PDB file of all heavy atoms in Angstrom:
ATOM      1  N   TRP A   1     -14.120   4.974  -5.409  1.00  0.00           N
ATOM      2  CA  TRP A   1     -14.651   4.379  -6.606  1.00  0.00           C
ATOM      3  C   TRP A   1     -14.632   2.924  -6.556  1.00  0.00           C
ATOM      4  O   TRP A   1     -15.170   2.172  -7.502  1.00  0.00           O
ATOM      5  CB  TRP A   1     -13.920   4.852  -7.858  1.00  0.00           C
ATOM      6  CG  TRP A   1     -14.041   6.316  -8.154  1.00  0.00           C
ATOM      7  CD1 TRP A   1     -13.492   7.323  -7.449  1.00  0.00           C
ATOM      8  CD2 TRP A   1     -14.752   6.880  -9.189  1.00  0.00           C
ATOM      9  NE1 TRP A   1     -13.794   8.521  -7.992  1.00  0.00           N
ATOM     10  CE2 TRP A   1     -14.567   8.312  -9.101  1.00  0.00           C
ATOM     11  CE3 TRP A   1     -15.465   6.400 -10.268  1.00  0.00           C
ATOM     12  CZ2 TRP A   1     -15.182   9.208  -9.992  1.00  0.00           C
ATOM     13  CZ3 TRP A   1     -16.015   7.223 -11.171  1.00  0.00           C
ATOM     14  CH2 TRP A   1     -15.859   8.659 -11.042  1.00  0.00           C
ATOM     15  N   GLY A   2     -14.070   2.333  -5.539  1.00  0.00           N
ATOM     16  CA  GLY A   2     -13.874   0.878  -5.466  1.00  0.00           C
ATOM     17  C   GLY A   2     -12.460   0.387  -5.777  1.00  0.00           C
ATOM     18  O   GLY A   2     -11.897   0.957  -6.728  1.00  0.00           O
ATOM     19  N   PRO A   3     -11.942  -0.558  -5.128  1.00  0.00           N
ATOM     20  CA  PRO A   3     -10.574  -1.057  -5.468  1.00  0.00           C
ATOM     21  C   PRO A   3     -10.527  -1.478  -6.946  1.00  0.00           C
ATOM     22  O   PRO A   3     -11.505  -1.968  -7.546  1.00  0.00           O
ATOM     23  CB  PRO A   3     -10.403  -2.327  -4.572  1.00  0.00           C
ATOM     24  CG  PRO A   3     -11.346  -2.000  -3.390  1.00  0.00           C
ATOM     25  CD  PRO A   3     -12.486  -1.212  -3.895  1.00  0.00           C
ATOM     26  N   GLU A   4      -9.393  -1.208  -7.540  1.00  0.00           N
ATOM     27  CA  GLU A   4      -9.153  -1.544  -8.975  1.00  0.00           C
ATOM     28  C   GLU A   4      -9.917  -0.697  -9.948  1.00  0.00           C
ATOM     29  O   GLU A   4      -9.927  -0.924 -11.116  1.00  0.00           O
ATOM     30  CB  GLU A   4      -9.374  -3.038  -9.255  1.00  0.00           C
ATOM     31  CG  GLU A   4      -8.487  -3.987  -8.411  1.00  0.00           C
ATOM     32  CD  GLU A   4      -7.007  -3.689  -8.644  1.00  0.00           C
ATOM     33  OE1 GLU A   4      -6.514  -4.052  -9.760  1.00  0.00           O
ATOM     34  OE2 GLU A   4      -6.329  -3.197  -7.664  1.00  0.00           O
ATOM     35  N   ASN A   5     -10.600   0.298  -9.423  1.00  0.00           N
ATOM     36  CA  ASN A   5     -11.427   1.174 -10.305  1.00  0.00           C
ATOM     37  C   ASN A   5     -10.781   2.530 -10.581  1.00  0.00           C
ATOM     38  O   ASN A   5     -11.438   3.434 -11.025  1.00  0.00           O
ATOM     39  CB  ASN A   5     -12.823   1.441  -9.797  1.00  0.00           C
ATOM     40  CG  ASN A   5     -13.650   0.093  -9.883  1.00  0.00           C
ATOM     41  OD1 ASN A   5     -13.473  -0.613 -10.751  1.00  0.00           O
ATOM     42  ND2 ASN A   5     -14.599   0.000  -8.919  1.00  0.00           N
ATOM     43  N   TYR A   6      -9.458   2.650 -10.302  1.00  0.00           N
ATOM     44  CA  TYR A   6      -8.810   3.874 -10.534  1.00  0.00           C
ATOM     45  C   TYR A   6      -8.884   4.368 -11.985  1.00  0.00           C
ATOM     46  O   TYR A   6      -8.979   5.490 -12.302  1.00  0.00           O
ATOM     47  CB  TYR A   6      -7.344   3.797 -10.091  1.00  0.00           C
ATOM     48  CG  TYR A   6      -6.505   5.094 -10.400  1.00  0.00           C
ATOM     49  CD1 TYR A   6      -6.560   6.137  -9.529  1.00  0.00           C
ATOM     50  CD2 TYR A   6      -5.818   5.195 -11.553  1.00  0.00           C
ATOM     51  CE1 TYR A   6      -5.829   7.329  -9.771  1.00  0.00           C
ATOM     52  CE2 TYR A   6      -5.160   6.398 -11.861  1.00  0.00           C
ATOM     53  CZ  TYR A   6      -5.163   7.410 -10.960  1.00  0.00           C
ATOM     54  OH  TYR A   6      -4.440   8.577 -11.230  1.00  0.00           O
ATOM     55  N   THR A   7      -8.806   3.415 -12.901  1.00  0.00           N
ATOM     56  CA  THR A   7      -8.831   3.690 -14.318  1.00  0.00           C
ATOM     57  C   THR A   7     -10.164   4.346 -14.713  1.00  0.00           C
ATOM     58  O   THR A   7     -10.085   5.236 -15.601  1.00  0.00           O
ATOM     59  CB  THR A   7      -8.581   2.369 -15.126  1.00  0.00           C
ATOM     60  OG1 THR A   7      -8.507   2.790 -16.513  1.00  0.00           O
ATOM     61  CG2 THR A   7      -9.700   1.429 -14.946  1.00  0.00           C
ATOM     62  N   ILE A   8     -11.247   3.985 -14.115  1.00  0.00           N
ATOM     63  CA  ILE A   8     -12.521   4.621 -14.424  1.00  0.00           C
ATOM     64  C   ILE A   8     -12.511   6.112 -13.915  1.00  0.00           C
ATOM     65  O   ILE A   8     -12.996   7.031 -14.636  1.00  0.00           O
ATOM     66  CB  ILE A   8     -13.658   3.838 -13.708  1.00  0.00           C
ATOM     67  CG1 ILE A   8     -13.709   2.470 -14.293  1.00  0.00           C
ATOM     68  CG2 ILE A   8     -15.017   4.518 -13.980  1.00  0.00           C
ATOM     69  CD1 ILE A   8     -14.742   1.532 -13.608  1.00  0.00           C
ATOM     70  N   ALA A   9     -12.017   6.362 -12.710  1.00  0.00           N
ATOM     71  CA  ALA A   9     -11.903   7.674 -12.215  1.00  0.00           C
ATOM     72  C   ALA A   9     -10.975   8.486 -13.098  1.00  0.00           C
ATOM     73  O   ALA A   9     -11.257   9.707 -13.406  1.00  0.00           O
ATOM     74  CB  ALA A   9     -11.439   7.652 -10.791  1.00  0.00           C
ATOM     75  N   TYR A  10      -9.853   7.905 -13.523  1.00  0.00           N
ATOM     76  CA  TYR A  10      -8.849   8.626 -14.277  1.00  0.00           C
ATOM     77  C   TYR A  10      -9.495   9.004 -15.681  1.00  0.00           C
ATOM     78  O   TYR A  10      -9.328  10.185 -16.114  1.00  0.00           O
ATOM     79  CB  TYR A  10      -7.647   7.726 -14.545  1.00  0.00           C
ATOM     80  CG  TYR A  10      -6.528   8.389 -15.334  1.00  0.00           C
ATOM     81  CD1 TYR A  10      -5.559   9.119 -14.727  1.00  0.00           C
ATOM     82  CD2 TYR A  10      -6.475   8.201 -16.692  1.00  0.00           C
ATOM     83  CE1 TYR A  10      -4.541   9.717 -15.400  1.00  0.00           C
ATOM     84  CE2 TYR A  10      -5.434   8.804 -17.399  1.00  0.00           C
ATOM     85  CZ  TYR A  10      -4.505   9.546 -16.802  1.00  0.00           C
ATOM     86  OH  TYR A  10      -3.452  10.170 -17.493  1.00  0.00           O
ATOM     87  N   ASP A  11     -10.074   8.077 -16.347  1.00  0.00           N
ATOM     88  CA  ASP A  11     -10.625   8.337 -17.671  1.00  0.00           C
ATOM     89  C   ASP A  11     -11.776   9.383 -17.560  1.00  0.00           C
ATOM     90  O   ASP A  11     -11.902  10.274 -18.478  1.00  0.00           O
ATOM     91  CB  ASP A  11     -11.202   7.102 -18.291  1.00  0.00           C
ATOM     92  CG  ASP A  11     -10.050   6.111 -18.646  1.00  0.00           C
ATOM     93  OD1 ASP A  11      -8.883   6.556 -18.746  1.00  0.00           O
ATOM     94  OD2 ASP A  11     -10.336   4.898 -18.865  1.00  0.00           O
ATOM     95  N   GLY A  12     -12.498   9.322 -16.483  1.00  0.00           N
ATOM     96  CA  GLY A  12     -13.642  10.315 -16.351  1.00  0.00           C
ATOM     97  C   GLY A  12     -13.114  11.781 -16.068  1.00  0.00           C
ATOM     98  O   GLY A  12     -13.862  12.703 -16.409  1.00  0.00           O
ATOM     99  N   GLN A  13     -11.949  11.897 -15.505  1.00  0.00           N
ATOM    100  CA  GLN A  13     -11.379  13.219 -15.219  1.00  0.00           C
ATOM    101  C   GLN A  13     -10.396  13.758 -16.269  1.00  0.00           C
ATOM    102  O   GLN A  13      -9.896  14.879 -16.173  1.00  0.00           O
ATOM    103  CB  GLN A  13     -10.733  13.178 -13.834  1.00  0.00           C
ATOM    104  CG  GLN A  13     -11.584  12.840 -12.647  1.00  0.00           C
ATOM    105  CD  GLN A  13     -12.537  14.063 -12.401  1.00  0.00           C
ATOM    106  OE1 GLN A  13     -12.229  15.181 -12.613  1.00  0.00           O
ATOM    107  NE2 GLN A  13     -13.662  13.656 -11.743  1.00  0.00           N
ATOM    108  N   LEU A  14     -10.005  12.867 -17.235  1.00  0.00           N
ATOM    109  CA  LEU A  14      -9.015  13.209 -18.200  1.00  0.00           C
ATOM    110  C   LEU A  14      -9.513  14.355 -19.114  1.00  0.00           C
ATOM    111  O   LEU A  14     -10.606  14.316 -19.646  1.00  0.00           O
ATOM    112  CB  LEU A  14      -8.576  12.034 -19.068  1.00  0.00           C
ATOM    113  CG  LEU A  14      -7.450  12.230 -19.966  1.00  0.00           C
ATOM    114  CD1 LEU A  14      -6.207  12.388 -19.231  1.00  0.00           C
ATOM    115  CD2 LEU A  14      -7.308  10.879 -20.872  1.00  0.00           C
ATOM    116  N   THR A  15      -8.634  15.375 -19.172  1.00  0.00           N
ATOM    117  CA  THR A  15      -8.988  16.499 -20.031  1.00  0.00           C
ATOM    118  C   THR A  15      -8.057  16.612 -21.302  1.00  0.00           C
ATOM    119  O   THR A  15      -6.996  15.908 -21.295  1.00  0.00           O
ATOM    120  CB  THR A  15      -8.894  17.802 -19.310  1.00  0.00           C
ATOM    121  OG1 THR A  15      -7.527  18.001 -18.881  1.00  0.00           O
ATOM    122  CG2 THR A  15      -9.791  17.813 -18.033  1.00  0.00           C
ATOM    123  N   ALA A  16      -8.462  17.363 -22.282  1.00  0.00           N
ATOM    124  CA  ALA A  16      -7.648  17.494 -23.418  1.00  0.00           C
ATOM    125  C   ALA A  16      -6.234  18.098 -23.168  1.00  0.00           C
ATOM    126  O   ALA A  16      -5.228  17.741 -23.683  1.00  0.00           O
ATOM    127  CB  ALA A  16      -8.326  18.338 -24.486  1.00  0.00           C
ATOM    128  N   GLU A  17      -6.198  19.044 -22.158  1.00  0.00           N
ATOM    129  CA  GLU A  17      -5.021  19.675 -21.777  1.00  0.00           C
ATOM    130  C   GLU A  17      -4.047  18.680 -21.171  1.00  0.00           C
ATOM    131  O   GLU A  17      -2.857  18.631 -21.544  1.00  0.00           O
ATOM    132  CB  GLU A  17      -5.272  20.765 -20.748  1.00  0.00           C
ATOM    133  CG  GLU A  17      -4.064  21.503 -20.232  1.00  0.00           C
ATOM    134  CD  GLU A  17      -4.409  22.469 -19.124  1.00  0.00           C
ATOM    135  OE1 GLU A  17      -5.552  22.632 -18.743  1.00  0.00           O
ATOM    136  OE2 GLU A  17      -3.393  23.090 -18.635  1.00  0.00           O
ATOM    137  N   VAL A  18      -4.602  17.806 -20.279  1.00  0.00           N
ATOM    138  CA  VAL A  18      -3.722  16.792 -19.682  1.00  0.00           C
ATOM    139  C   VAL A  18      -3.208  15.791 -20.721  1.00  0.00           C
ATOM    140  O   VAL A  18      -2.114  15.385 -20.775  1.00  0.00           O
ATOM    141  CB  VAL A  18      -4.492  16.050 -18.478  1.00  0.00           C
ATOM    142  CG1 VAL A  18      -3.667  14.933 -18.004  1.00  0.00           C
ATOM    143  CG2 VAL A  18      -4.718  17.075 -17.379  1.00  0.00           C
ATOM    144  N   ALA A  19      -4.164  15.400 -21.621  1.00  0.00           N
ATOM    145  CA  ALA A  19      -3.799  14.380 -22.595  1.00  0.00           C
ATOM    146  C   ALA A  19      -2.731  14.919 -23.617  1.00  0.00           C
ATOM    147  O   ALA A  19      -1.988  14.105 -24.090  1.00  0.00           O
ATOM    148  CB  ALA A  19      -5.071  14.037 -23.348  1.00  0.00           C
ATOM    149  N   SER A  20      -2.705  16.240 -23.829  1.00  0.00           N
ATOM    150  CA  SER A  20      -1.652  16.821 -24.612  1.00  0.00           C
ATOM    151  C   SER A  20      -0.278  16.774 -23.990  1.00  0.00           C
ATOM    152  O   SER A  20       0.677  16.807 -24.697  1.00  0.00           O
ATOM    153  CB  SER A  20      -1.995  18.297 -24.976  1.00  0.00           C
ATOM    154  OG  SER A  20      -2.017  19.109 -23.850  1.00  0.00           O
ATOM    155  N   ILE A  21      -0.270  16.731 -22.674  1.00  0.00           N
ATOM    156  CA  ILE A  21       0.945  16.725 -21.916  1.00  0.00           C
ATOM    157  C   ILE A  21       1.522  15.238 -21.828  1.00  0.00           C
ATOM    158  O   ILE A  21       2.708  14.985 -22.035  1.00  0.00           O
ATOM    159  CB  ILE A  21       0.852  17.356 -20.544  1.00  0.00           C
ATOM    160  CG1 ILE A  21       0.443  18.786 -20.673  1.00  0.00           C
ATOM    161  CG2 ILE A  21       2.116  17.156 -19.687  1.00  0.00           C
ATOM    162  CD1 ILE A  21       0.091  19.438 -19.368  1.00  0.00           C
ATOM    163  N   SER A  22       0.598  14.331 -21.527  1.00  0.00           N
ATOM    164  CA  SER A  22       0.898  12.966 -21.317  1.00  0.00           C
ATOM    165  C   SER A  22      -0.121  12.069 -21.929  1.00  0.00           C
ATOM    166  O   SER A  22      -1.329  12.190 -21.574  1.00  0.00           O
ATOM    167  CB  SER A  22       1.153  12.587 -19.803  1.00  0.00           C
ATOM    168  OG  SER A  22       1.403  11.238 -19.654  1.00  0.00           O
ATOM    169  N   THR A  23       0.205  11.283 -22.937  1.00  0.00           N
ATOM    170  CA  THR A  23      -0.737  10.421 -23.570  1.00  0.00           C
ATOM    171  C   THR A  23      -0.865   9.039 -22.920  1.00  0.00           C
ATOM    172  O   THR A  23      -1.662   8.244 -23.310  1.00  0.00           O
ATOM    173  CB  THR A  23      -0.344  10.204 -25.057  1.00  0.00           C
ATOM    174  OG1 THR A  23       0.998   9.628 -25.064  1.00  0.00           O
ATOM    175  CG2 THR A  23      -0.294  11.489 -25.842  1.00  0.00           C
ATOM    176  N   GLU A  24      -0.083   8.853 -21.814  1.00  0.00           N
ATOM    177  CA  GLU A  24      -0.112   7.493 -21.201  1.00  0.00           C
ATOM    178  C   GLU A  24      -1.392   7.416 -20.315  1.00  0.00           C
ATOM    179  O   GLU A  24      -1.818   8.325 -19.588  1.00  0.00           O
ATOM    180  CB  GLU A  24       1.049   7.378 -20.209  1.00  0.00           C
ATOM    181  CG  GLU A  24       1.204   6.075 -19.629  1.00  0.00           C
ATOM    182  CD  GLU A  24       2.527   5.957 -18.796  1.00  0.00           C
ATOM    183  OE1 GLU A  24       3.228   7.009 -18.686  1.00  0.00           O
ATOM    184  OE2 GLU A  24       2.792   4.878 -18.240  1.00  0.00           O
ATOM    185  N   SER A  25      -1.998   6.255 -20.379  1.00  0.00           N
ATOM    186  CA  SER A  25      -3.184   5.950 -19.558  1.00  0.00           C
ATOM    187  C   SER A  25      -2.760   5.190 -18.264  1.00  0.00           C
ATOM    188  O   SER A  25      -1.801   4.406 -18.374  1.00  0.00           O
ATOM    189  CB  SER A  25      -4.235   5.194 -20.336  1.00  0.00           C
ATOM    190  OG  SER A  25      -5.320   4.899 -19.576  1.00  0.00           O
ATOM    191  N   PHE A  26      -3.444   5.437 -17.211  1.00  0.00           N
ATOM    192  CA  PHE A  26      -3.081   4.827 -15.984  1.00  0.00           C
ATOM    193  C   PHE A  26      -4.215   4.026 -15.472  1.00  0.00           C
ATOM    194  O   PHE A  26      -5.328   4.514 -15.222  1.00  0.00           O
ATOM    195  CB  PHE A  26      -2.677   5.859 -14.903  1.00  0.00           C
ATOM    196  CG  PHE A  26      -1.394   6.521 -15.210  1.00  0.00           C
ATOM    197  CD1 PHE A  26      -1.262   7.647 -16.037  1.00  0.00           C
ATOM    198  CD2 PHE A  26      -0.205   6.064 -14.609  1.00  0.00           C
ATOM    199  CE1 PHE A  26      -0.089   8.227 -16.279  1.00  0.00           C
ATOM    200  CE2 PHE A  26       1.027   6.651 -14.813  1.00  0.00           C
ATOM    201  CZ  PHE A  26       1.084   7.759 -15.664  1.00  0.00           C
ATOM    202  N   ASP A  27      -3.965   2.735 -15.167  1.00  0.00           N
ATOM    203  CA  ASP A  27      -4.984   1.935 -14.465  1.00  0.00           C
ATOM    204  C   ASP A  27      -4.647   1.793 -12.940  1.00  0.00           C
ATOM    205  O   ASP A  27      -5.405   1.262 -12.205  1.00  0.00           O
ATOM    206  CB  ASP A  27      -5.100   0.517 -15.091  1.00  0.00           C
ATOM    207  CG  ASP A  27      -3.866  -0.335 -14.857  1.00  0.00           C
ATOM    208  OD1 ASP A  27      -2.799   0.225 -14.700  1.00  0.00           O
ATOM    209  OD2 ASP A  27      -4.031  -1.632 -14.825  1.00  0.00           O
ATOM    210  N   GLN A  28      -3.461   2.292 -12.571  1.00  0.00           N
ATOM    211  CA  GLN A  28      -2.989   2.399 -11.292  1.00  0.00           C
ATOM    212  C   GLN A  28      -2.446   3.791 -11.119  1.00  0.00           C
ATOM    213  O   GLN A  28      -1.895   4.373 -12.038  1.00  0.00           O
ATOM    214  CB  GLN A  28      -1.977   1.343 -10.854  1.00  0.00           C
ATOM    215  CG  GLN A  28      -2.395  -0.081 -11.067  1.00  0.00           C
ATOM    216  CD  GLN A  28      -3.237  -0.606  -9.920  1.00  0.00           C
ATOM    217  OE1 GLN A  28      -3.245  -0.054  -8.828  1.00  0.00           O
ATOM    218  NE2 GLN A  28      -4.058  -1.688 -10.201  1.00  0.00           N
ATOM    219  N   ALA A  29      -2.553   4.325  -9.845  1.00  0.00           N
ATOM    220  CA  ALA A  29      -2.104   5.735  -9.644  1.00  0.00           C
ATOM    221  C   ALA A  29      -0.589   5.890  -9.679  1.00  0.00           C
ATOM    222  O   ALA A  29      -0.060   7.016  -9.735  1.00  0.00           O
ATOM    223  CB  ALA A  29      -2.682   6.141  -8.347  1.00  0.00           C
ATOM    224  N   HIS A  30       0.199   4.747  -9.493  1.00  0.00           N
ATOM    225  CA  HIS A  30       1.599   4.863  -9.336  1.00  0.00           C
ATOM    226  C   HIS A  30       1.976   5.710  -8.053  1.00  0.00           C
ATOM    227  O   HIS A  30       3.039   6.369  -8.037  1.00  0.00           O
ATOM    228  CB  HIS A  30       2.337   5.495 -10.584  1.00  0.00           C
ATOM    229  CG  HIS A  30       2.323   4.542 -11.713  1.00  0.00           C
ATOM    230  ND1 HIS A  30       1.167   4.227 -12.455  1.00  0.00           N
ATOM    231  CD2 HIS A  30       3.296   3.817 -12.338  1.00  0.00           C
ATOM    232  CE1 HIS A  30       1.456   3.424 -13.431  1.00  0.00           C
ATOM    233  NE2 HIS A  30       2.700   3.081 -13.350  1.00  0.00           N
ATOM    234  N   ASN A  31       1.107   5.708  -7.162  1.00  0.00           N
ATOM    235  CA  ASN A  31       1.333   6.360  -5.792  1.00  0.00           C
ATOM    236  C   ASN A  31       0.320   5.676  -4.863  1.00  0.00           C
ATOM    237  O   ASN A  31      -0.963   5.849  -5.102  1.00  0.00           O
ATOM    238  CB  ASN A  31       1.051   7.799  -5.876  1.00  0.00           C
ATOM    239  CG  ASN A  31       1.309   8.545  -4.592  1.00  0.00           C
ATOM    240  OD1 ASN A  31       0.688   8.240  -3.545  1.00  0.00           O
ATOM    241  ND2 ASN A  31       2.287   9.490  -4.573  1.00  0.00           N
ATOM    242  N   LYS A  32       0.771   4.955  -3.935  1.00  0.00           N
ATOM    243  CA  LYS A  32      -0.154   4.129  -3.087  1.00  0.00           C
ATOM    244  C   LYS A  32      -1.128   4.989  -2.358  1.00  0.00           C
ATOM    245  O   LYS A  32      -2.272   4.565  -2.246  1.00  0.00           O
ATOM    246  CB  LYS A  32       0.703   3.273  -2.120  1.00  0.00           C
ATOM    247  CG  LYS A  32      -0.099   2.337  -1.254  1.00  0.00           C
ATOM    248  CD  LYS A  32      -0.768   1.262  -2.106  1.00  0.00           C
ATOM    249  CE  LYS A  32      -1.433   0.246  -1.279  1.00  0.00           C
ATOM    250  NZ  LYS A  32      -2.176  -0.762  -2.041  1.00  0.00           N
ATOM    251  N   ILE A  33      -0.752   6.169  -1.894  1.00  0.00           N
ATOM    252  CA  ILE A  33      -1.636   6.995  -1.092  1.00  0.00           C
ATOM    253  C   ILE A  33      -2.801   7.529  -2.055  1.00  0.00           C
ATOM    254  O   ILE A  33      -3.903   7.447  -1.672  1.00  0.00           O
ATOM    255  CB  ILE A  33      -0.852   8.170  -0.497  1.00  0.00           C
ATOM    256  CG1 ILE A  33       0.228   7.650   0.447  1.00  0.00           C
ATOM    257  CG2 ILE A  33      -1.817   9.093   0.377  1.00  0.00           C
ATOM    258  CD1 ILE A  33      -0.185   6.749   1.492  1.00  0.00           C
ATOM    259  N   ILE A  34      -2.416   7.966  -3.218  1.00  0.00           N
ATOM    260  CA  ILE A  34      -3.427   8.481  -4.123  1.00  0.00           C
ATOM    261  C   ILE A  34      -4.331   7.291  -4.560  1.00  0.00           C
ATOM    262  O   ILE A  34      -5.542   7.459  -4.647  1.00  0.00           O
ATOM    263  CB  ILE A  34      -2.751   9.068  -5.430  1.00  0.00           C
ATOM    264  CG1 ILE A  34      -1.953  10.291  -5.019  1.00  0.00           C
ATOM    265  CG2 ILE A  34      -3.802   9.439  -6.422  1.00  0.00           C
ATOM    266  CD1 ILE A  34      -2.783  11.440  -4.497  1.00  0.00           C
ATOM    267  N   GLU A  35      -3.715   6.133  -4.758  1.00  0.00           N
ATOM    268  CA  GLU A  35      -4.508   4.911  -5.121  1.00  0.00           C
ATOM    269  C   GLU A  35      -5.592   4.672  -4.030  1.00  0.00           C
ATOM    270  O   GLU A  35      -6.690   4.396  -4.348  1.00  0.00           O
ATOM    271  CB  GLU A  35      -3.608   3.765  -5.281  1.00  0.00           C
ATOM    272  CG  GLU A  35      -4.272   2.481  -5.623  1.00  0.00           C
ATOM    273  CD  GLU A  35      -4.672   2.363  -7.065  1.00  0.00           C
ATOM    274  OE1 GLU A  35      -4.088   3.095  -7.915  1.00  0.00           O
ATOM    275  OE2 GLU A  35      -5.598   1.606  -7.439  1.00  0.00           O
ATOM    276  N   GLU A  36      -5.206   4.724  -2.772  1.00  0.00           N
ATOM    277  CA  GLU A  36      -6.096   4.441  -1.674  1.00  0.00           C
ATOM    278  C   GLU A  36      -7.197   5.499  -1.588  1.00  0.00           C
ATOM    279  O   GLU A  36      -8.379   5.238  -1.338  1.00  0.00           O
ATOM    280  CB  GLU A  36      -5.355   4.327  -0.358  1.00  0.00           C
ATOM    281  CG  GLU A  36      -4.354   3.137  -0.277  1.00  0.00           C
ATOM    282  CD  GLU A  36      -5.045   1.824  -0.449  1.00  0.00           C
ATOM    283  OE1 GLU A  36      -6.074   1.535   0.271  1.00  0.00           O
ATOM    284  OE2 GLU A  36      -4.568   0.995  -1.225  1.00  0.00           O
ATOM    285  N   MET A  37      -6.775   6.776  -1.773  1.00  0.00           N
ATOM    286  CA  MET A  37      -7.731   7.862  -1.720  1.00  0.00           C
ATOM    287  C   MET A  37      -8.796   7.655  -2.791  1.00  0.00           C
ATOM    288  O   MET A  37     -10.033   7.833  -2.537  1.00  0.00           O
ATOM    289  CB  MET A  37      -7.037   9.172  -1.906  1.00  0.00           C
ATOM    290  CG  MET A  37      -6.220   9.615  -0.707  1.00  0.00           C
ATOM    291  SD  MET A  37      -5.250  11.157  -1.140  1.00  0.00           S
ATOM    292  CE  MET A  37      -6.617  12.265  -1.525  1.00  0.00           C
ATOM    293  N   VAL A  38      -8.418   7.344  -3.989  1.00  0.00           N
ATOM    294  CA  VAL A  38      -9.369   7.301  -5.144  1.00  0.00           C
ATOM    295  C   VAL A  38     -10.201   6.094  -4.986  1.00  0.00           C
ATOM    296  O   VAL A  38     -11.436   6.103  -5.234  1.00  0.00           O
ATOM    297  CB  VAL A  38      -8.627   7.389  -6.505  1.00  0.00           C
ATOM    298  CG1 VAL A  38      -9.530   7.184  -7.627  1.00  0.00           C
ATOM    299  CG2 VAL A  38      -7.882   8.587  -6.574  1.00  0.00           C
ATOM    300  N   THR A  39      -9.639   4.953  -4.771  1.00  0.00           N
ATOM    301  CA  THR A  39     -10.398   3.668  -4.783  1.00  0.00           C
ATOM    302  C   THR A  39     -11.153   3.343  -3.507  1.00  0.00           C
ATOM    303  O   THR A  39     -12.152   2.607  -3.528  1.00  0.00           O
ATOM    304  CB  THR A  39      -9.388   2.554  -5.188  1.00  0.00           C
ATOM    305  OG1 THR A  39      -8.420   2.442  -4.154  1.00  0.00           O
ATOM    306  CG2 THR A  39      -8.785   2.807  -6.543  1.00  0.00           C
TER     307      THR A  39
END
């Protein structure tokens, strides 16, 4: 998705089920490997 665009991928994939478990939004993956894969 491009560097620093993890938040766009995250928001696009966010579901109601996941949101009910964790309401926190992520602009970084908090995992460098996942961050590199996505961006």
Side-chain angles (χ1 to χ4, degrees):
W1 294 72
E4 299 300 290
N5 289 331
Y6 177 84
T7 185
I8 299 175
Y10 182 88
D11 292 344
Q13 297 290 333
L14 188 63
T15 64
E17 178 184 359
V18 173
S20 65
I21 298 174
S22 175
T23 58
E24 186 177 3
S25 180
F26 287 87
D27 69 334
Q28 301 280 339
H30 290 73
N31 180 303
K32 186 64 175 178
I33 303 301
I34 297 296
E35 179 79 20
E36 295 299 311
M37 288 175 58
V38 176
T39 60

